[in-house]
Short mmCIF file of all heavy atoms in Angstrom, two decimals:
data_model
loop_
_atom_site.label_atom_id
_atom_site.label_comp_id
_atom_site.label_asym_id
_atom_site.label_seq_id
_atom_site.Cartn_x
_atom_site.Cartn_y
_atom_site.Cartn_z
N VAL A 308 -2.27 14.62 -1.88
CA VAL A 308 -2.28 14.91 -0.44
C VAL A 308 -3.59 14.41 0.17
O VAL A 308 -4.67 14.81 -0.24
CB VAL A 308 -2.13 16.44 -0.21
CG1 VAL A 308 -2.31 16.78 1.27
CG2 VAL A 308 -0.79 16.93 -0.74
N SER A 309 -3.47 13.54 1.18
CA SER A 309 -4.69 13.03 1.84
C SER A 309 -4.78 13.45 3.31
O SER A 309 -5.77 13.15 3.98
CB SER A 309 -4.74 11.50 1.75
OG SER A 309 -3.60 10.94 2.37
N CYS A 347 -7.47 24.82 4.93
CA CYS A 347 -8.65 23.93 4.89
C CYS A 347 -9.34 24.01 3.53
O CYS A 347 -9.80 23.00 3.00
CB CYS A 347 -9.65 24.30 5.99
SG CYS A 347 -9.26 23.60 7.60
N ARG A 348 -9.42 25.21 2.98
CA ARG A 348 -10.10 25.37 1.69
C ARG A 348 -9.38 24.56 0.60
O ARG A 348 -10.01 23.82 -0.15
CB ARG A 348 -10.15 26.85 1.29
CG ARG A 348 -10.92 27.08 0.01
CD ARG A 348 -10.98 28.55 -0.36
NE ARG A 348 -9.68 29.08 -0.74
CZ ARG A 348 -9.46 30.34 -1.08
NH1 ARG A 348 -10.45 31.21 -1.08
NH2 ARG A 348 -8.25 30.75 -1.41
N ARG A 349 -8.06 24.71 0.56
CA ARG A 349 -7.32 23.97 -0.47
C ARG A 349 -7.40 22.45 -0.22
O ARG A 349 -7.54 21.66 -1.16
CB ARG A 349 -5.86 24.45 -0.50
CG ARG A 349 -4.96 23.69 -1.43
CD ARG A 349 -5.37 23.83 -2.91
NE ARG A 349 -4.63 22.89 -3.72
CZ ARG A 349 -3.52 23.17 -4.41
NH1 ARG A 349 -3.04 24.41 -4.41
NH2 ARG A 349 -2.89 22.24 -5.10
N ALA A 350 -7.32 22.07 1.06
CA ALA A 350 -7.42 20.64 1.39
C ALA A 350 -8.79 20.10 0.99
O ALA A 350 -8.90 18.99 0.45
CB ALA A 350 -7.17 20.42 2.88
N ALA A 351 -9.84 20.88 1.22
CA ALA A 351 -11.19 20.44 0.86
C ALA A 351 -11.29 20.18 -0.64
O ALA A 351 -11.86 19.18 -1.08
CB ALA A 351 -12.21 21.50 1.28
N ARG A 352 -10.71 21.08 -1.42
CA ARG A 352 -10.76 20.91 -2.89
C ARG A 352 -9.98 19.66 -3.31
O ARG A 352 -10.49 18.83 -4.07
CB ARG A 352 -10.15 22.15 -3.56
CG ARG A 352 -11.02 23.39 -3.39
CD ARG A 352 -10.30 24.64 -3.88
NE ARG A 352 -11.16 25.83 -3.76
CZ ARG A 352 -10.73 27.08 -3.82
NH1 ARG A 352 -9.44 27.34 -3.98
NH2 ARG A 352 -11.57 28.08 -3.69
N ASP A 353 -8.75 19.54 -2.82
CA ASP A 353 -7.88 18.44 -3.26
C ASP A 353 -8.39 17.09 -2.77
O ASP A 353 -8.37 16.10 -3.50
CB ASP A 353 -6.44 18.65 -2.74
CG ASP A 353 -5.74 19.81 -3.44
OD1 ASP A 353 -6.39 20.48 -4.28
OD2 ASP A 353 -4.55 20.05 -3.15
N MET A 354 -8.82 17.05 -1.51
CA MET A 354 -9.23 15.76 -0.94
C MET A 354 -10.57 15.30 -1.52
O MET A 354 -10.81 14.11 -1.68
CB MET A 354 -9.28 15.85 0.59
CG MET A 354 -7.90 15.98 1.23
SD MET A 354 -8.02 16.21 3.02
CE MET A 354 -6.35 16.73 3.42
N ALA A 355 -11.45 16.25 -1.85
CA ALA A 355 -12.72 15.88 -2.49
C ALA A 355 -12.42 15.24 -3.85
O ALA A 355 -13.01 14.22 -4.21
CB ALA A 355 -13.62 17.10 -2.64
N ALA A 356 -11.48 15.84 -4.59
CA ALA A 356 -11.11 15.29 -5.90
C ALA A 356 -10.48 13.90 -5.75
O ALA A 356 -10.64 13.03 -6.60
CB ALA A 356 -10.15 16.23 -6.61
N LEU A 357 -9.79 13.70 -4.64
CA LEU A 357 -9.10 12.43 -4.39
C LEU A 357 -10.05 11.34 -3.90
O LEU A 357 -9.77 10.15 -4.00
CB LEU A 357 -8.02 12.69 -3.32
CG LEU A 357 -7.03 11.57 -2.99
CD1 LEU A 357 -6.20 11.23 -4.23
CD2 LEU A 357 -6.11 11.99 -1.84
N GLY A 358 -11.20 11.77 -3.32
CA GLY A 358 -12.17 10.81 -2.82
C GLY A 358 -12.09 10.59 -1.33
O GLY A 358 -12.70 9.66 -0.79
N GLY A 359 -11.35 11.46 -0.61
CA GLY A 359 -11.32 11.35 0.85
C GLY A 359 -10.05 11.91 1.44
O GLY A 359 -9.10 12.23 0.72
N GLY A 360 -10.05 12.04 2.76
CA GLY A 360 -8.86 12.55 3.44
C GLY A 360 -9.19 12.88 4.89
O GLY A 360 -10.29 12.60 5.37
N ALA A 361 -8.21 13.46 5.58
CA ALA A 361 -8.42 13.83 6.99
C ALA A 361 -7.65 15.11 7.30
O ALA A 361 -6.51 15.29 6.87
CB ALA A 361 -7.97 12.70 7.91
N ILE A 362 -8.33 15.97 8.07
CA ILE A 362 -7.74 17.25 8.49
C ILE A 362 -7.74 17.29 10.01
O ILE A 362 -8.75 16.91 10.63
CB ILE A 362 -8.58 18.44 7.96
CG1 ILE A 362 -8.58 18.45 6.43
CG2 ILE A 362 -8.08 19.76 8.52
CD1 ILE A 362 -9.57 19.46 5.81
N GLY A 394 -18.07 22.93 11.77
CA GLY A 394 -18.81 23.26 10.54
C GLY A 394 -18.27 22.52 9.33
O GLY A 394 -19.03 21.94 8.54
N LEU A 395 -16.95 22.53 9.20
CA LEU A 395 -16.35 21.91 8.00
C LEU A 395 -16.53 20.40 8.01
O LEU A 395 -16.69 19.78 6.96
CB LEU A 395 -14.87 22.28 7.93
CG LEU A 395 -14.19 22.05 6.57
CD1 LEU A 395 -14.86 22.88 5.47
CD2 LEU A 395 -12.69 22.39 6.65
N SER A 396 -16.54 19.80 9.20
CA SER A 396 -16.75 18.34 9.25
C SER A 396 -18.12 17.99 8.68
O SER A 396 -18.28 16.97 8.00
CB SER A 396 -16.61 17.83 10.68
OG SER A 396 -17.72 18.23 11.46
N LYS A 397 -19.11 18.86 8.94
CA LYS A 397 -20.46 18.60 8.42
C LYS A 397 -20.54 18.85 6.92
O LYS A 397 -21.25 18.16 6.21
CB LYS A 397 -21.48 19.47 9.17
CG LYS A 397 -21.58 19.06 10.64
CD LYS A 397 -22.50 19.94 11.45
CE LYS A 397 -22.53 19.47 12.90
NZ LYS A 397 -23.21 20.42 13.78
N GLU A 398 -19.77 19.86 6.46
CA GLU A 398 -19.74 20.14 5.02
C GLU A 398 -19.07 19.02 4.24
O GLU A 398 -19.49 18.70 3.12
CB GLU A 398 -18.93 21.44 4.79
CG GLU A 398 -19.73 22.56 4.22
CD GLU A 398 -18.90 23.84 4.08
OE1 GLU A 398 -17.85 23.82 3.40
OE2 GLU A 398 -19.30 24.85 4.66
N LEU A 399 -18.04 18.44 4.80
CA LEU A 399 -17.17 17.54 4.03
C LEU A 399 -17.40 16.05 4.28
O LEU A 399 -16.75 15.22 3.66
CB LEU A 399 -15.69 17.88 4.30
CG LEU A 399 -15.25 19.28 3.89
CD1 LEU A 399 -13.76 19.48 4.16
CD2 LEU A 399 -15.55 19.55 2.41
N GLY A 400 -18.33 15.74 5.19
CA GLY A 400 -18.60 14.32 5.46
C GLY A 400 -18.97 13.56 4.19
O GLY A 400 -18.51 12.44 3.95
N GLN A 401 -19.78 14.21 3.34
CA GLN A 401 -20.24 13.54 2.10
C GLN A 401 -19.08 13.28 1.14
O GLN A 401 -19.18 12.44 0.25
CB GLN A 401 -21.31 14.39 1.42
CG GLN A 401 -20.78 15.72 0.92
CD GLN A 401 -21.89 16.69 0.53
OE1 GLN A 401 -23.06 16.46 0.80
NE2 GLN A 401 -21.52 17.79 -0.11
N ASP A 402 -17.98 14.02 1.32
CA ASP A 402 -16.79 13.80 0.48
C ASP A 402 -15.80 12.84 1.13
O ASP A 402 -14.68 12.69 0.67
CB ASP A 402 -16.08 15.15 0.23
CG ASP A 402 -16.95 16.10 -0.57
OD1 ASP A 402 -17.48 15.67 -1.61
OD2 ASP A 402 -17.11 17.26 -0.15
N ARG A 403 -16.22 12.22 2.22
CA ARG A 403 -15.38 11.27 2.96
C ARG A 403 -14.10 11.93 3.47
O ARG A 403 -13.04 11.33 3.50
CB ARG A 403 -15.08 10.04 2.11
CG ARG A 403 -16.37 9.29 1.79
CD ARG A 403 -16.21 8.14 0.86
NE ARG A 403 -15.04 7.34 1.13
CZ ARG A 403 -14.62 6.36 0.35
NH1 ARG A 403 -15.28 6.08 -0.73
NH2 ARG A 403 -13.56 5.66 0.66
N ILE A 404 -14.26 13.21 3.85
CA ILE A 404 -13.13 13.93 4.47
C ILE A 404 -13.49 14.15 5.94
O ILE A 404 -14.53 14.76 6.25
CB ILE A 404 -12.89 15.29 3.78
CG1 ILE A 404 -12.62 15.09 2.29
CG2 ILE A 404 -11.73 16.04 4.45
CD1 ILE A 404 -12.66 16.38 1.47
N ARG A 405 -12.66 13.64 6.84
CA ARG A 405 -12.90 13.83 8.27
C ARG A 405 -12.16 15.09 8.73
O ARG A 405 -11.03 15.35 8.29
CB ARG A 405 -12.42 12.61 9.07
CG ARG A 405 -13.17 11.34 8.72
CD ARG A 405 -12.73 10.15 9.57
NE ARG A 405 -11.34 9.81 9.42
CZ ARG A 405 -10.38 10.10 10.28
NH1 ARG A 405 -10.67 10.74 11.41
NH2 ARG A 405 -9.14 9.76 10.06
N VAL A 406 -12.81 15.86 9.60
CA VAL A 406 -12.20 17.10 10.11
C VAL A 406 -12.31 17.11 11.63
O VAL A 406 -13.42 17.06 12.18
CB VAL A 406 -12.89 18.36 9.55
CG1 VAL A 406 -12.14 19.62 9.96
CG2 VAL A 406 -13.00 18.29 8.03
N SER A 459 -11.66 6.20 12.00
CA SER A 459 -12.44 6.28 10.76
C SER A 459 -13.87 6.77 10.95
O SER A 459 -14.49 7.25 10.00
CB SER A 459 -12.45 4.90 10.07
OG SER A 459 -12.91 3.93 10.98
N THR A 462 -15.36 12.35 13.40
CA THR A 462 -15.24 13.64 12.70
C THR A 462 -16.02 14.70 13.46
O THR A 462 -16.99 14.38 14.16
CB THR A 462 -15.70 13.52 11.22
OG1 THR A 462 -15.25 14.68 10.51
CG2 THR A 462 -17.22 13.39 11.08
#
Side-chain angles (χ1 to χ4, degrees):
V308 173
S309 60
C347 277
R348 184 179 68 182
R349 175 64 191 263
R352 291 171 178 164
D353 289 3
M354 291 176 193
L357 187 63
I362 297 171
L395 196 60
S396 72
K397 294 176 180 170
E398 244 177 57
L399 298 182
Q401 66 192 11
D402 295 311
R403 297 175 42 188
I404 302 168
R405 297 183 299 103
V406 187
S459 54
T462 195

